Amino acid sequence: MHHPDSVVALGHLSAFRREFYSCLSRRADALFELTDAVLCCDGPVRTLVEASLAAEHRRGHGSLYSALANGRVEIARLRRALATVPLPKAADGRLVLAVDITSWLRPEAHTSPARVLCHTYGRGKDTHIMVPGWPYSLVCALETGRHSWTAPLDAQRLAPGDDAAAVTATQLRRVITDLITAGQWRPGDPDILIVADAGYDGPRLTFLLDDLPVAVLVRMRSDRVVRRPTPPHTPGTIGRPRRHGGEFVFGDPATWGQPAITTHTDTRLYGPATARAWDRLHPRLTRRTAWIAHAEQLPILEGTVIRLEVARLPSGAIPKPVWLWYSRIKQTVSDVNRLWQAFLRRFDIEHTFRFFKQTLGWTAPKLRTPEAADRWTWLTLAAYTQLRLARRLAVDLRRPWEKPTQPDRLTPARVRRGFRHLRPQAGCPTNAPKPSRPRPPAGTP
C-alpha cells in the first residue's frame, strides 16, 4: 500500500509532466524526450548527442538538435505551471524568493548574437575577468533546513544594453503576479521576501515593486554610506529644510552610534553569530544612472541596516562582516534573526546553478542562437522541477563509498539516479516516433 504522501507527490509529478508537454507547441515529442534523457541518463550530461543514446530518447540525434533550433516552448504557460506546483515556504509561512545572475559563457562563439561581457569570479588567482556569454537572471523560491534544494520559477536572459535593475523588477513582478494568481499568496499572508546579493540596487527594487506585497533584503558593499532620518526643524533656521540626517558610514564605526537591536546566536556552520540593526536609515539618491529619468522629487526610502558577523566560514576563509539593507523599519529581535538567516539561505541558489551546469549540462551544448539557448534553459528548469517533485518518491541508490542518507535529505543528484524507475509511474505523454524514410518494398532482400 502506498503512503498517502507518496500518492500526492506522484500526482503532482504526473500533472506537471502533462502540463509541461502541453507547453511544447512545436517539436513537442523530441523536446520532452530530451528532457527525460537528461533526467535518466547515467552520470552528468557532457554533450547532448550522448544524452540522445539514453533509452528514454527514442529519436535520432538529428531530431534533438532540430528541436532545439526550431522547436517552440510556450514560456508564459510554463512559467505559470512552475508557479502552480507546491512551493517551499519559511517557518512563518512566508515565500522567500532569491534572485541572482549566472552566465552561460560562450567566448568561442564569435558569430553568436546577443552576447554580453560577463563578470567571472575565481578564474585565476585573485583575478576577475570579463568573458563573452549569455547572462541569465534566475528567480528561485528558497527552502529551510539542511539541504540545497530550491524551486526555480523564472529565467530571463539579459540582452546587450539591458538595465539589470529594470529587467529584474519586471521579472519579479511577473513571477509574483503568477504566484498570486496561482493562490500561493493570499491577502493576510506575510509579505513575500526577496533576497538578493550586492549586485542589486535594493532601494530601487523596493521603489519599483512598491505596489506588490513584497519586502526586499539585499547585501550592501562595505564602502556604502547611508543617511539617518531628518532631524526636527529648529525654529528660526534659515534656508531650505533638510531632507537627510547625518551620515552612517559603513567603514567608520564612529558614525554608527548605538544599534537599536543586538542579537547573539550560536550556529552549526558559522559558529557564534552577532547581528546589530539600526532603524530608519536610507540611501541618499541622486539623479544619475537609474534615477536620471525620475521626473518627481527623489523619494526617501527608509529601511533597516543589519551588520552580521560570524566566527568562521565553511570554506575556512577569514569571515568579513556582511551589511544588509531591509526595506522595512521597526523590526523586532526575532525579525532581525529571521532576516540574516534568510540571507544565508540565499547561497542555496549557488548550489542550484552548479547542479544545472555540472550535472544537468545546462551550459554543455554549443548552441549558436540565443533563442535555442532560451529553449534549453527552460527545459533545464522543467527537469529540475521534476526532480524536486519526485523527492518523496525516490529511493537512495547510493554508491558503496557514500554514507546513507535519510529519505527527506536526498540531494538532487541522488534523486536523479532513481528517476528512471519513477518515470513509468509518472507517465509519458509523448507519441511513438515515426520513421523518416519509407520502408523497403515487400520481398526486398
Side-chain angles (χ1 to χ4, degrees):
M1 184 176 180
H2 296 287
H3 194 276
D5 291 344
S6 299
V7 174
V8 174
L10 182 60
H12 289 310
L13 176 60
S14 301
F16 178 78
R17 284 173 63 85
R18 292 192 299 269
E19 182 63 19
F20 170 51
Y21 181 76
S22 300
C23 296
L24 308 176
S25 57
R26 185 191 297 166
R27 310 291 178 93
D29 294 335
L31 292 174
F32 191 92
E33 289 190 0
L34 171 59
T35 308
D36 275 359
V38 170
L39 289 170
C40 299
C41 65
D42 298 327
V45 177
R46 302 300 183 190
T47 60
L48 291 185
V49 69
E50 291 181 354
S52 68
L53 299 177
E56 289 74 15
H57 191 272
R58 301 178 293 175
R59 289 158 174 81
H61 63 276
S63 66
L64 180 152
Y65 289 102
S66 178
L68 286 178
N70 304 306
R72 179 183 297 166
V73 180
E74 302 297 337
I75 295 178
R77 182 172 180 177
L78 182 53
R79 187 185 296 114
R80 291 192 296 268
L82 294 175
T84 305
V85 298
L87 295 179
K89 294 186 178 181
D92 59 350
R94 183 190 308 268
L95 278 169
V96 181
L97 305 182
V99 57
D100 203 354
I101 294 177
T102 185
S103 300
W104 183 339
L105 301 180
R106 296 303 312 276
E108 73 287 351
H110 302 290
T111 60
S112 294
R115 292 189 305 165
V116 179
L117 288 177
C118 305
H119 195 90
T120 59
Y121 300 89
R123 299 181 70 88
K125 184 178 180 181
D126 298 329
T127 60
H128 305 298
I129 59 177
M130 307 298 288
V131 179
W134 293 315
Y136 280 85
S137 173
L138 267 71
V139 178
C140 299
L142 300 181
E143 297 193 12
T144 58
R146 294 173 56 187
H147 50 70
S148 59
W149 286 93
T150 64
L153 296 173
D154 190 69
Q156 176 71 47
R157 177 173 49 85
L158 300 180
D162 279 349
D163 181 1
V167 171
T168 303
T170 303
Q171 182 184 22
L172 287 171
R173 177 177 297 277
R174 187 171 56 225
V175 170
I176 294 169
T177 301
D178 289 341
L179 292 175
I180 295 175
T181 303
Q184 302 285 5
W185 184 91
R186 295 182 174 86
D189 292 346
D191 287 345
I192 300 173
L193 179 62
I194 298 173
V195 185
D197 207 1
Y200 291 88
D201 188 347
R204 179 158 175 79
L205 282 178
T206 302
F207 178 78
L208 294 176
L209 302 175
D210 183 59
D211 58 325
L212 295 175
V214 300
V216 179
L217 176 68
V218 297
R219 181 170 70 91
M220 282 189 163
R221 300 191 311 270
S222 59
D223 59 351
R224 289 293 299 269
V225 178
V226 293
R227 294 301 187 105
R228 299 183 183 276
T230 306
H233 180 70
T234 304
T237 303
I238 301 175
R240 185 176 59 181
R242 297 177 59 184
R243 300 191 70 229
H244 309 282
E247 291 186 341
F248 185 101
V249 184
F250 288 1
D252 185 5
T255 64
W256 298 351
Q258 280 297 112
I261 296 175
T262 302
T263 67
H264 303 279
T265 309
D266 289 328
T267 64
R268 183 182 64 87
L269 287 178
Y270 304 99
T274 301
R276 289 182 284 176
W278 291 265
D279 195 26
R280 297 190 63 190
L281 298 179
H282 65 273
R284 182 175 181 177
L285 306 179
T286 58
R287 293 192 182 278
R288 291 180 296 180
T289 61
W291 298 96
I292 193 171
H294 191 77
E296 302 176 357
Q297 187 180 44
L298 295 178
I300 300 294
L301 302 172
E302 290 187 331
T304 302
V305 171
I306 302 173
R307 187 177 193 267
L308 174 64
E309 298 176 275
V310 298
R312 61 176 181 269
L313 295 176
S315 62
I318 300 177
K320 297 181 180 179
V322 175
W323 290 93
L324 306 175
W325 184 85
Y326 183 54
S327 61
R328 301 294 173 84
I329 60 176
K330 299 181 180 179
Q331 301 301 297
T332 64
V333 173
S334 60
D335 292 334
V336 172
N337 283 328
R338 174 178 57 83
L339 291 172
W340 68 259
Q341 292 174 14
F343 176 79
L344 294 182
R345 297 301 314 184
R346 190 208 70 84
F347 292 98
D348 290 346
I349 198 173
E350 304 293 342
H351 296 283
T352 301
F353 293 161
R354 186 181 300 112
F355 184 76
F356 278 4
K357 297 179 180 180
Q358 297 182 359
T359 304
L360 299 183
W362 174 47
T363 57
K366 305 301 181 182
L367 303 177
R368 183 183 182 278
T369 64
E371 293 77 15
D374 293 344
R375 295 185 194 100
W376 175 237
T377 299
W378 281 98
L379 295 185
T380 305
L381 264 66
Y384 186 91
T385 302
Q386 293 182 59
L387 292 178
R388 189 175 64 84
L389 296 176
R391 288 167 61 183
R392 296 183 179 274
L393 305 171
V395 178
D396 186 15
L397 304 178
R398 67 183 183 90
R399 303 289 189 255
W401 54 86
E402 294 176 341
K403 296 181 179 179
T405 304
Q406 297 296 328
D408 58 342
R409 294 286 308 281
L410 293 179
T411 63
R414 291 202 182 186
V415 173
R416 179 173 175 263
R417 291 177 190 171
F419 192 85
R420 171 170 286 169
H421 307 292
L422 299 175
R423 179 176 175 269
Q425 306 175 39
C428 184
T430 58
N431 301 306
K434 297 179 180 180
S436 59
R437 298 178 181 178
R439 57 186 300 181
T444 303

